[in-house]
Amino acid sequence: MLRCLLNRAAARLMSERQLDKTYDPKQVEERWYQVWIDRGYFRASVTHPGRPYCIVIPPPNVTGSLHVGHALNNSLQDILIRWRRMQGRNVLWMPGTDHAGIATQNVVERQLLAEGTSREALGRERFLQRVWEWKAKAGDTIIQQLKRLGASCDWDRLRFTMDEGLSKAVREVFVRLYEDGLIYRGERLINWCPRCLTALSDIEVEHEDIRGKMYYIRYPLADDPGTALTVATTRPETMLGDTAVAVHPEDPRYRHLIGKAVRLPLTTRDIPIVGDTILVDLEFGTGAVKITPAHDFNDFEASERHGLPRISLLTARAQMDDIGLQEAQADPSLNLALKSVHQARTIVVEALRERGFLTKVEDHKMAIGKCYRCKTVVEPFLSPQWFVKIKPLAEPAIKVVEDGRIRLIPEAWVNNYLGWMRDIKDWCISRQIWWGHQIPAWYCTSCNREHIVRSGRAVGTTAEGGRLPEITKWNYTLAQGAQPVVAKSVPTRCPDCGGQEFVQDPDVLDTWFSSGLWPFSTLGWPDETPELKTYYPTSTLVTGLDILFFWVARMIMMGLKFTGDVPFRDVYIHALVRDAEGQKMSKSKGNVIDPLHMMERYGTDALRFTLASMASPGRDIKLSEERIEGYRNFANKLWNAARFILMHLDGPREDISAAARSFPDRWILSRLNFAIRSVTQELEHYRFDRAASRLYHFIWHEYCDWYLEMVKPFLQHNDSVDARRTRHTLVETFETVQRLLHPFMPFITEEIWQTLPHEGESLVIQPYPEERPDWDSKDTEHAFGILEQCVTTTRTARALLNYPPGKPVAFFAWGSYEREGQILETLQGLVAHLGRGVVQVLPFDQWPSSNVLRLAAEGLTVGMVVEGDVDLQKALARISRQRAEGAAEVQRLEAKLKNVEFTSNAPPDVVAEHQGRLKVLQRDQAVLLSSEEQLCAIMRRRAP
RNA sequence: AGGCGGAUAGCUCAGUCGGGAGAGCGCUGCCCUUACAAGGCAGAGGUCACAGGUUCAAUCCCUGUUCCGCCUACCA
């Protein structure tokens, strides 16, 4: 015990001179990242040699904070980027942030609320100033966190979606689309968030199933109140806005009623009965459908088909609107004005019931839409909005994916993408918020006409409501505090009426409008910059599937339209990160794994490696802290391998020809080459998980568990030829390992690499390992297989029999001496070293020789077949025969064996069960095993 | 409602020629062997969801069923 402690103390003294015993990420990461930045390794230049390789970062919200989804997304990008950089490509990783319109505005509005004020109170200009201030303050956070993650972006090129350059691109795109007739303004039914007070596009609405109710309401015929049509609805409060009832023209129940009218309950209005094949499903409900054009998308379309009026019952805050109620001729005694939708429903249902119109209420499963930013229930809302006519843009975007000019990885998403694109609806791009790119549309105050210009400058404000063009009144009324700004300079003169004053549209563009331009706007478009020429189309896009439609689809459409080329070649789509239970991470559930906390605790490399190893295609990632801990241990393992190697490097190194290399050296080079080949292949196929797993297995199990163990005897005598050569291979292989692993674990590999003998100033710019066919050695790997079996067999037998660790074990092999036997003989030293204790290798065909028996008499004896074609039954028969014929010597020795018995007849079931497997039978039976097919011999320890 | 994905060890998951059932974590036993106890060695543990079919042979291919997840969606 004492000796052990002393040994450990001595070892610690020795090692502390070089590296600490455990890897401490903290003091390594910051230091190296600063060096990399200072030396400009991440800087891209169009003049760099090498084929361009470019990734544009999915820009995170400028005021956001790094969550685990970012960590995954950016770890994978950094792996690709570092790998390609080391391969000598001209690499650009373009970083940037997104202004994230609604999300950011909401954040600042919450701050204002806490201060007891509001954006309306501040007014548009001061509010925007406030957001810019917040952006200046918080905008750096996410960037610093990405740096912490090791992201090797070219930070000098950092862009923001509301930069002047990018804003210019946005206006240019808007104008060109307008000129091409692909942008239009119109009063349409859109999705409206009554909390954010803005329109949303279709995909910004999240659907959620709820248990609702279906209400059946009688609509009496106007000319025959005794007869009634019964309609079914889930939203009875909107019935006041009905402007027709539809039935199927082939429905025998109702077809004779088409053209007649019903008296709408709770109102004094008569509304027509129309025939409609699209809206009405004969099988569903009662077969009669109320048409409420201002509050339902289908009904809106039906109203277009039949030329029906639209009555909007709701205010922007989703309250019952006084004017709308009057228009609907609703019974004033109901007192619905300014009641919420929910209250209105109660009132209307109660009134219908009292007056005998409500015939039935039943449970009904239905879906409601919620705002993706604030989860408020959205309302279909009639309002003037800007739209992009999307079909002409979608068609080429479908084609490039069909053609394979853009590859989606995994391919499973192709169908999803195509299906969505083929069914795509016009894109509502106007938002009634303030934070974003204001729409470059100006209205003449005299004639109301709109003018779209590339640049417009406001020169004076007016509070005169009278000066507002009719066309913008709704928008300005809604945006209280947004003072109309009059422009006298641009456009200079209204071409239609000669008017000289203009008011800009107060709305801003959907955030995704500007991020849709990201791949080319960040490279300088619309100018023909060298960057654009060099790096566009970009190479790979790495993104989560949650923004496939929001962002990726728009980039493809915009890229094709404005550059005539695809924005990227490959789209790698990774999964969502969930918690260990598979739940979506959210702050409210409290199941968030904070990547910053993980980096702090386990090191950035461990986090990155975890995320990479879990990035299997087609499955969500269930992240757990234990997993990260496991890879922290992996980093530590690597670290200690480095310590071991450094500890043995004091001494000369000698390069030698391949032929003269030692067995362990030849073996590890062959395995290393295999690792290089597979890691590279897996990366080319975006199989980060497999690449990571190969690295893990190679480094831990092949390199550390076997190679470093095998090498120890070679290093015993410091100046020996063996030691000199081994040192050379140690450096050669371990340096290669650092390069191979660097894209995954950039920090620890740099730290280790710098302490190894090396050429060059940083691992970041070293070449990535390439295949070395001359390192391949099938023979060596075959021999290693035999060695491994011998060693494992010995250890297994020893463990199961509780055989003392230090006591010798005899080992004998069964096979042809010329082949495997000879191999084993040459590896005797290694078998002895790895198998612990004294091991003798004997050709098995001498068995039972006196040598073997002598060993057996002394202790545990292990034998195995090393050649595949031994017939078990025959072999066992031979053993019996030899014993029966009985060399006197054999019998004499056998008699001496107190506790070991040789069994010449393996039980048939044992043979059947264990044939071909390296396996020990039972606790009291030692042995023995096989190479490929055959069980070989069984020794039984007698019970004491 | 449609589409897609998944179901393999206690847990999380690999397994893309149709022939060997695997890894990590967890668990059990032994071991502080001079790189590493965040370690080493060994071990237990599976009807590859279910039912059919094709085949000499199926975790893998086909059909159907069940359960879970996701995406899309205008059934009032």
Side-chain angles (χ1 to χ4, degrees), chain A residues 195 328 340 581 588 806 812:
Chain A
R195 201 217 62 85
S340 72
E581 272 75 52
S588 55
F812 56 95

Side-chain angles (χ1 to χ4, degrees), chain A residues 745-762:
Chain A
M745 298 186 133
F747 295 106
I748 189 175
T749 50
E750 175 79 293
E751 176 74 4
I752 290 174
W753 186 82
Q754 294 283 351
T755 63
L756 292 171
H758 65 274
E759 285 171 25
E761 55 180 29
S762 168

Side-chain angles (χ1 to χ4, degrees), chain A residues 521-574:
Chain A
S521 65
T522 52
L523 293 173
W525 189 92
D527 298 332
E528 289 229 354
T529 59
E531 279 77 11
L532 203 58
K533 272 185 207 143
T534 306
Y535 297 113
Y536 192 90
T538 66
S539 315
T540 304
L541 185 80
V542 179
T543 183
L545 69 98
D546 48 335
I547 53 176
L548 180 62
F549 301 134
F550 279 104
W551 190 47
V552 180
R554 268 85 177 255
M555 281 191 289
I556 296 175
M557 290 189 282
M558 293 295 204
L560 288 167
K561 171 76 181 168
F562 292 102
T563 69
D565 206 341
V566 295
F568 27 70
R569 311 260 183 231
D570 288 353
V571 180
Y572 174 77
I573 300 162
H574 62 247

Side-chain angles (χ1 to χ4, degrees), chain A residues 56 93 206 211 384 512 616 631 646 771 821 845 857:
Chain A
V56 291
W93 187 7
E206 293 177 352
R211 281 195 305 260
W512 301 100
S616 299
Y631 290 116
L646 288 171
E771 266 197 79
D845 55 10

